[in-house]
Amino acid sequence: MVMAAVSRRHARLYVTVDLVILTIREEGLHVLLVERGKEPYQGQLALPGGFLRERENLPDAARRELAEETGLSDARLHLEQVATYGDPGRDPRDHVVTVSYLAIAPSLPAPVAGSDARHARWEPVDRVDRLAFDHNDVFADALERARSKLEHTTLATVFCAETFTIGELRRVYEAVWGGPVDARNFNRKVTGTDGFVVPTGETRRSTPGRPAALYRAGPAKTLYPPMLRTNIGAPTSEWTRINTMRA
Amino acid sequence: MVMAAVSRRHARLYVTVDLVILTIREEGLHVLLVERGKEPYQGQLALPGGFLRERENLPDAARRELAEETGLSDARLHLEQVATYGDPGRDPRDHVVTVSYLAIAPSLPAPVAGSDARHARWEPVDRVDRLAFDHNDVFADALERARSKLEHTTLATVFCAETFTIGELRRVYEAVWGGPVDARNFNRKVTGTDGFVVPTGETRRSTPGRPAALYRAGPAKTLYPPMLRTNIGAPTSEWTRINTMRA
DNA sequence: GGCGGTTAATGTCAGAAAGACACTAATGAA
DNA sequence: TTCATTAGTGTCTTTCTGACATTAACCGCC
């Protein structure tokens, strides 16, 4: 049986992946940006990314680009698809559809010098503005995804090292949500939720101050009931983008 | 200044949109499926969809396909992007990336007979199995998205006609979540949440029984605090698919 | 007109969870 | 030993939800 090829009448497009790589540095949430080395948008900051290769699937492309930018392929990294943007005018050169991925890692070092990351740098998330292409939207959607995920899942532990204190975990929430989280209620919620964290039995000393108990990430993925953002502005959750359709 | 074209070394792909069209018929949640008229997967059921055209953006393509399938372009329809699937082997003919959209409408009629919808039919969501391509995954993800959205947003009203009763709204929840919802607590939650519904002042009589008050959808999009599924199996929320990456 | 059945709406009680915040504990430095 | 700092535990109140009872508003029938 002969199988017909796809009609040549259909559009053929380039597909890229764009990465929103988040980490926590200097007590604040940062995103990795690169300076465009050539047109279009030369000199402007953009999210890192690249073109899909022949017969390459999307997550592999995202992992490849991530490894290029951060040098990491650690399994503890979080990588998840967020949205797809396909406005024909988003890239002046040609019709390019991009699939964005949220990547989260424990404290990442300064960007490595590579051919694509020559002018890469960590930017505080509240300082991100005027990115190339539609990357402002891409970034905003991924940031909101990260914020929502901290409400409903135990994802925050991915921002931490293998062992961490409750205080460190709470500061992750504060960095991602952009506001204070009550230490007493946070401690009760996290340690009272089965599978969120697992005590190691050891402590980490700080000078001065009471030594803090150390924990590892537990097996639970879902945080149920969720820990909702309350006193940090009105929730502009990704839930509310009814009829949201990325172009 | 001359702008370089995209390198010919990068892959060029076909992009499609796939629609998960949900409606409620005969007290149950249904999805629109079409029977494939040609290879690959000829004779098998699939989600409706089609190829992106030259210079067409994704939501326009989704709307175009939706109009073809349902005859509707009603602004009250809900249409939102869900995920993108790009496994090179997902279509035997060529490397095709698909972007899935969730579409929700009030009670839709039997499928119109069109060239693409010749063998279209509504299928109860719990009877969906062995779809073509990777459409089982596509469908499962969109269904879960719909289920989650009923927890966090006022989206359920889109399944209803312009005016509806609280009982009708509750049956939407029961159809989408697949289990019973307590009428007394539901009524209190819905009518007690600002902006969820707005009373019309009229009633709808049923014979026999107490006339039910009629409502319209209110302005609120977010349902906060959310109305979480509790006694309908463990929540298999889309939140828990950490590291979920559609291929 | 009254009664019964059905559906809708309101109400009650209890418990869980979270918000707000105080107090105690465990250090190390001075 | 004292003090400052950080961590952890605790208390009270409020809010919300779960479970379920009761009342209300019909229409059909006698």
Side-chain angles (χ1 to χ4, degrees):
Chain A
M1 170 189 51
V2 173
M3 193 170 301
V6 174
S7 169
R8 286 198 197 89
R9 293 184 288 109
H10 296 116
R12 259 194 123 117
L13 312 171
Y14 295 102
V15 174
T16 62
V17 294
D18 282 324
L19 301 176
V20 182
I21 307 172
L22 298 180
T23 196
I24 293 182
R25 297 164 61 81
E26 297 151 21
E27 297 302 312
L29 188 64
H30 287 71
V31 60
L32 191 72
L33 298 179
V34 297
E35 183 182 327
R36 294 276 304 167
K38 57 192 178 189
E39 293 294 337
Y41 303 101
Q42 183 173 11
Q44 270 188 257
L45 290 173
L47 297 165
F51 285 83
L52 198 64
R53 291 174 176 168
E54 294 287 351
R55 311 305 299 168
E56 182 179 42
N57 71 26
L58 290 165
D60 288 343
R63 281 190 207 96
R64 172 174 53 77
E65 291 290 340
L66 186 58
E68 280 181 29
E69 299 297 342
T70 64
L72 283 177
S73 53
D74 190 341
R76 286 194 305 108
L77 266 178
H78 177 78
L79 189 62
E80 78 177 78
Q81 189 187 105
V82 179
T84 297
Y85 307 79
D87 187 272
R90 65 177 295 276
D91 192 320
R93 295 165 294 184
D94 215 320
H95 192 169
V96 179
V97 164
T98 195
V99 186
S100 70
Y101 283 82
L102 171 65
I104 293 172
S107 181
L108 290 169
V112 298
S115 63
D116 287 341
R118 195 169 9 126
H119 296 290
R121 73 175 194 252
W122 293 106
E123 190 84 3
V125 296
D126 53 2
R127 304 265 303 270
V128 171
D129 197 9
R130 283 192 292 276
L131 300 180
F133 305 103
D134 49 1
H135 286 188
N136 287 305
D137 287 336
V138 175
F139 166 70
D141 290 344
L143 178 60
E144 183 48 42
R145 169 72 65 92
R147 286 173 167 159
S148 294
K149 280 258 158 43
L150 261 57
E151 292 181 303
H152 296 85
T153 73
T154 58
L155 183 67
T157 57
V158 176
F159 281 101
C160 298
E162 186 173 347
T163 61
F164 52 87
T165 70
I166 297 296
E168 287 163 356
L169 189 63
R170 191 182 79 254
R171 282 184 281 279
V172 165
Y173 273 81
E174 289 176 332
V176 175
W177 285 351
V181 171
D182 187 89
R184 299 153 292 190
N185 294 332
F186 182 83
N187 192 303
R188 180 180 63 195
K189 176 70 175 179
V190 169
T191 57
T193 298
D194 265 335
F196 197 150
V197 297
V198 178
T200 68
E202 297 170 14
T203 62
R204 169 175 301 155
R205 298 178 167 196
S206 58
T207 309
R210 177 169 169 165
L214 280 176
Y215 294 84
R216 284 195 177 82
K221 305 298 184 192
T222 307
L223 179 50
Y224 185 86
M227 175 165 26
L228 302 173
R229 288 169 276 175
T230 47
N231 60 354
I232 313 174
T236 52
S237 168
E238 70 176 336
W239 294 111
T240 58
R241 288 198 302 278
I242 292 181
N243 267 351
T244 295
M245 295 177 283
R246 288 291 160 231
Chain B
M1 171 186 51
V2 173
M3 196 171 300
V6 173
S7 168
R8 288 199 195 86
R9 291 184 290 115
H10 297 115
R12 254 194 128 119
L13 311 171
Y14 296 102
V15 173
T16 62
V17 294
D18 282 324
L19 301 176
V20 182
I21 309 171
L22 299 179
T23 196
I24 293 182
R25 299 164 61 80
E26 299 150 20
E27 297 302 312
L29 189 64
H30 287 70
V31 60
L32 191 72
L33 298 180
V34 298
E35 183 183 327
R36 295 274 304 167
K38 56 192 180 189
E39 294 293 337
Y41 302 100
Q42 184 173 10
Q44 269 188 257
L45 289 174
L47 296 165
F51 285 84
L52 198 64
R53 291 175 177 167
E54 293 287 350
R55 313 303 300 169
E56 181 178 44
N57 72 25
L58 292 164
D60 288 343
R63 280 191 208 97
R64 173 175 55 76
E65 291 290 340
L66 186 58
E68 281 180 29
E69 299 298 343
T70 64
L72 282 178
S73 53
D74 191 342
R76 286 194 306 107
L77 266 179
H78 178 79
L79 189 62
E80 79 177 76
Q81 188 185 108
V82 179
T84 296
Y85 307 78
D87 188 272
R90 64 177 296 274
D91 192 320
R93 295 166 292 183
D94 214 320
H95 192 169
V96 179
V97 164
T98 194
V99 186
S100 70
Y101 283 82
L102 171 65
I104 292 173
S107 182
L108 291 169
V112 299
S115 63
D116 287 341
R118 196 172 7 129
H119 294 289
R121 73 176 194 252
W122 293 107
E123 190 83 2
V125 296
D126 52 1
R127 305 265 301 272
V128 171
D129 197 8
R130 284 190 292 276
L131 300 179
F133 305 103
D134 49 1
H135 285 190
N136 288 304
D137 286 336
V138 175
F139 166 70
D141 290 344
L143 178 59
E144 181 50 40
R145 170 70 66 91
R147 286 174 167 160
S148 295
K149 278 234 125 97
L150 262 58
E151 293 180 303
H152 297 84
T153 74
T154 57
L155 182 67
T157 57
V158 177
F159 281 102
C160 297
E162 187 174 349
T163 60
F164 51 87
T165 69
I166 297 296
E168 287 162 355
L169 190 63
R170 192 183 78 253
R171 282 185 281 279
V172 166
Y173 273 80
E174 290 176 332
V176 175
W177 284 352
V181 172
D182 186 88
R184 298 151 295 190
N185 295 333
F186 182 83
N187 192 304
R188 179 182 64 197
K189 176 70 174 178
V190 168
T191 57
T193 299
D194 265 334
F196 197 151
V197 297
V198 177
T200 69
E202 297 169 14
T203 62
R204 170 174 301 156
R205 299 180 165 191
S206 57
T207 308
R210 176 170 169 166
L214 278 177
Y215 294 85
R216 282 193 179 83
K221 303 300 183 191
T222 306
L223 179 50
Y224 185 87
M227 176 164 26
L228 302 173
R229 290 168 275 175
T230 47
N231 60 354
I232 313 174
T236 51
S237 169
E238 69 176 337
W239 295 110
T240 57
R241 290 198 300 278
I242 292 183
N243 268 349
T244 295
M245 295 176 282
R246 290 294 163 224

